[in-house]
Amino acid sequence: MAWTKFPFADDSYVYTAASLKKAWARLHAGDAEPFPKNAALVDAWIAYHAGEFEKAAKLGLALGLDGYSVANKATAIYANYLEKSEKKKLALFEEVAARCEEQQAEQPKNPAAYYLHAYALGRYAQGISIMKALSQGIGNKVKTSLDNTIKLSPKHADAHIGLGTYHAEIIDKVGAMIGGLTYGAKKDEGLNFFKSALKLNPHSAIARVEYANGLVMLEGKKKMNDAVKLYEGAAACEPLDAMERLDVELAKEELAD
């Protein structure tokens, strides 16, 4: 089945190899991915940033392990935002997680192999329910992969977001006491991870969205005004690629509800 097209293709996020290199540090402030040396890999990333997620995944997979990071990111972002079928979405997350485990074995010092593993499993967990995922041991796998990401890449802002969300989701679902004793989840730690993510990537819409969600999970309605301000900040961010555009649109939808 063909993948759903990126719905904002009229707003061009098409880069050349030269313009992508120039914008790379800003575009990848979240994942700290190094600029690729392989021209074919650059082409895969150009497709990814333009919202051609299926093309990016195919180009990446054609390059073997070295293309897994772009293929996995394209697949995971597509599944999260654009795939309509819940069954297919979950299957795509499982595919990404499996490829990441293969990549971890072959490239144990590649942060993307761990971060995208955590991302895919985390979104899969949200799809099947956090409680069900915890009973299957998925929560520990997510945290282990996020911890490994930050060990390898301390400035990986997206992993900081992921850990903030981990702490918030656990406490929201099982409570502070069980969350702390069983899963090591702590409110202050979660909030600090969100804050550090924004310091590392101040342009990030998704950092603001997840921080807002985490605030409400951890602090309740008393922090609703702060959460709304974070959503407003996210909606006002200027997207430089397809993923960022999807993040901004998510914030706008939340504000409209």
Side-chain angles (χ1 to χ4, degrees):
M1 287 176 64
W3 290 15
T4 302
K5 299 291 184 187
F6 174 65
F8 307 104
D10 290 344
D11 295 334
S12 180
Y13 301 109
V14 178
Y15 289 88
T16 62
S19 65
L20 181 61
K21 189 170 186 178
K22 191 174 179 182
W24 189 265
R26 161 67 176 77
L27 285 168
H28 289 271
D31 63 8
E33 181 77 21
F35 187 78
K37 296 171 183 175
N38 181 324
L41 196 50
V42 172
D43 288 341
W45 280 110
I46 287 171
Y48 167 81
H49 288 296
E52 295 180 331
F53 296 121
E54 186 173 22
K55 179 181 177 182
K58 286 178 178 176
L59 289 174
L61 291 176
L63 296 169
L65 278 167
D66 288 340
Y68 271 22
S69 296
V70 64
N72 287 340
K73 188 165 188 179
T75 304
I77 295 302
Y78 166 79
N80 188 52
Y81 284 107
L82 298 177
E83 178 51 53
K84 303 288 192 294
S85 162
E86 194 64 24
K87 185 178 177 182
K88 186 176 176 186
K89 179 185 294 192
L90 293 176
L92 289 171
F93 287 138
E94 286 182 304
E95 283 178 22
V96 171
R99 284 199 296 265
C100 284
E101 288 167 14
E102 183 188 343
Q103 191 179 22
Q104 288 168 17
E106 298 294 328
Q107 299 178 345
K109 293 187 178 179
N110 186 341
Y114 300 94
Y115 172 71
L116 290 167
H117 183 249
Y119 183 93
L121 286 181
R123 295 301 189 194
Y124 178 84
Q126 289 171 335
I128 65 170
S129 93
I130 298 298
M131 291 303 293
K132 188 174 179 182
L134 290 176
S135 72
Q136 295 177 7
I138 291 175
N140 289 330
K141 289 180 180 178
V142 169
K143 187 172 188 303
T144 298
S145 281
L146 289 171
D147 287 341
N148 284 334
T149 305
I150 288 178
K151 280 178 192 170
L152 291 166
S153 181
K155 293 184 178 179
H156 197 296
D158 291 344
H160 285 256
I161 297 171
L163 279 166
T165 299
Y166 170 85
H167 288 275
E169 291 267 22
I170 297 288
I171 291 171
D172 181 54
K173 296 300 183 293
V174 303
M177 190 167 80
I178 295 173
L181 290 171
T182 308
Y183 302 102
K186 297 179 178 68
K187 181 174 83 169
D188 290 346
E189 240 180 277
L191 293 172
N192 285 334
F193 276 121
F194 288 126
K195 290 172 188 172
S196 64
L198 265 178
K199 283 182 184 174
L200 289 166
N201 189 9
H203 303 286
S204 174
I206 198 61
R208 289 170 170 82
V209 167
E210 297 291 2
Y211 189 3
N213 293 341
L215 262 183
V216 175
M217 283 190 273
L218 291 168
E219 301 277 17
K221 291 183 179 178
K222 66 182 180 181
K223 289 293 184 180
M224 191 59 74
N225 287 341
D226 291 340
V228 169
K229 286 177 186 174
L230 283 163
Y231 270 114
E232 288 171 345
C237 287
E238 182 186 352
L240 292 193
D241 77 347
M243 184 197 76
E244 291 186 2
R245 177 64 181 275
L246 292 167
D247 293 338
V248 168
E249 293 299 323
L250 173 65
K252 289 177 179 177
E253 285 171 21
E254 291 291 333
L255 285 170
D257 287 345

